[in-house]
Amino acid sequence: MPLLHFHVIKGRKPEALRALLDTTHETMLEAFKVPARDRYQIVSEHERDHMVIEDTGLGIPRTDQVVLLQMTSRPRSKEQITTFYKLLAERLHKRCGLAPSDLVVSIVQNADEHWSFGLGRAQFVTGEL
């Protein structure tokens, strides 16, 4: 169950945000093989001056269309993660016009006991999931 938190600069149209979310979800389904209704996405819009996204010295240009995606997830293989990065950059470019240089992704992995989907239970631990 990845939890995706998108950080963007204010000003995107609702349909552009929805395309971003839908494309990311479809890519996650393919790369991580999660169930279709395993969808937890949050968008935070920020003033331009509230997002400083540089390039770690790699010479990667950024624009005001930059997307910082923070994902919290159960452990995934290196192959799954690198496939996700590649497919996401390609698909967001094709479907949303997002330059691959404007996509920054950070994945934090955690364990089954760190998730509760409600009802005060850890469903991965109890065997409900």
Side-chain angles (χ1 to χ4, degrees):
M1 183 231 110
L3 169 63
L4 285 68
H5 190 171
F6 298 81
H7 296 273
V8 299
I9 295 170
K10 286 182 181 179
R12 280 185 166 84
K13 294 182 179 179
E15 56 273 11
L17 285 173
R18 188 58 188 217
L20 175 70
L21 299 179
D22 290 347
T23 300
T24 303
H25 184 67
E26 291 167 16
T27 304
M28 188 187 68
L29 293 177
E30 183 176 336
F32 297 153
K33 309 294 188 229
V34 298
R37 289 184 47 88
D38 198 354
R39 188 169 183 169
Y40 299 87
Q41 299 174 316
I42 301 165
V43 175
S44 292
E45 296 182 284
H46 305 277
E47 298 295 334
R48 175 66 192 103
D49 293 340
H50 294 185
M51 283 186 64
V52 178
I53 310 296
E54 295 186 349
D55 65 1
T56 315
L58 296 171
I60 300 171
R62 308 276 190 227
T63 73
D64 284 354
Q65 293 304 302
V66 68
V67 173
L68 172 61
L69 172 58
Q70 294 176 298
M71 179 188 294
T72 304
S73 175
R74 299 169 81 190
R76 308 290 171 183
S77 71
K78 287 181 185 178
E79 180 180 280
Q80 287 177 312
I81 292 170
T82 56
T83 296
F84 176 75
Y85 294 154
K86 180 181 183 299
L87 291 176
L88 186 62
E90 290 171 355
R91 291 175 182 174
L92 289 177
H93 181 66
K94 182 178 180 181
R95 297 179 189 173
C96 303
L98 184 72
S101 57
D102 273 334
L103 177 63
V104 179
V105 181
S106 174
I107 299 177
V108 176
Q109 297 188 56
N110 61 11
D112 289 350
E113 64 269 18
H114 298 127
W115 295 100
S116 173
F117 299 95
L119 306 175
R121 296 194 296 266
Q123 287 86 352
F124 287 133
V125 176
T126 64
E128 295 169 78
L129 285 174

